[in-house]
C-alpha cells in the first residue's frame, strides 16, 4: 500500500495550534494556574512532535516515490 503525504496546510495548522497552546500555557503560568500551564505545554510539545513527524514522513515518502519512478 502506498503511503500518502501529509498536507502542508495540516502541518501549518498544527504549528499555529502549538504556538497558541504555548502562549496559553504562558498566560496560565503567569496567573498561577500551574496545572493548566503544564497541560498546555504537554499539548504544545505533542503537536510540535506531530509536525516534525509529518515533515520526516513526507520526506521519506517523497524519496520512495522518486525511487519508484
Amino acid at each position: 500500500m502506498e503511503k500518502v503525504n501529509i498536507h502542508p496546510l495540516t502541518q501549518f495548522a498544527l504549528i499555529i495550534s502549538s504556538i497558541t497552546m504555548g502562549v496559553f500555557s504562558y498566560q496560565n503560568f503567569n496567573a498561577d494556574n500551574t496545572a493548566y500551564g503544564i497541560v498546555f505545554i504537554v499539548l504544545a510539545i505533542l503537536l510540535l512532535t506531530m509536525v516534525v513527524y509529518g515533515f520526516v514522513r513526507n520526506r521519506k515518502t517523497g524519496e520512495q516515490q522518486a525511487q519508484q519512478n
Side-chain angles (χ1 to χ4, degrees):
M1 188 163 94
E2 185 176 329
K3 289 187 177 182
V4 180
N5 283 347
I6 299 172
H7 200 277
L9 284 178
T10 304
Q11 292 176 334
F12 180 71
L14 286 173
I15 291 171
I16 296 298
S17 296
S18 66
I19 291 170
T20 304
M21 297 264 179
V23 169
F24 192 63
S25 68
Y26 177 75
Q27 290 175 351
N28 281 320
F29 276 121
N30 279 342
D32 291 330
N33 294 330
T34 308
Y36 282 129
I38 291 171
V39 166
F40 284 106
I41 282 179
V42 169
L43 288 174
I45 291 171
L46 175 70
L47 291 177
L48 284 175
T49 304
M50 290 171 62
V51 169
V52 170
Y53 172 74
F55 284 132
V56 170
R57 178 185 166 108
N58 283 350
R59 180 176 292 170
K60 285 183 181 178
T61 57
E63 290 173 357
Q64 288 175 355
Q65 288 175 355
Q67 289 176 354
Q68 289 177 355
N69 293 332

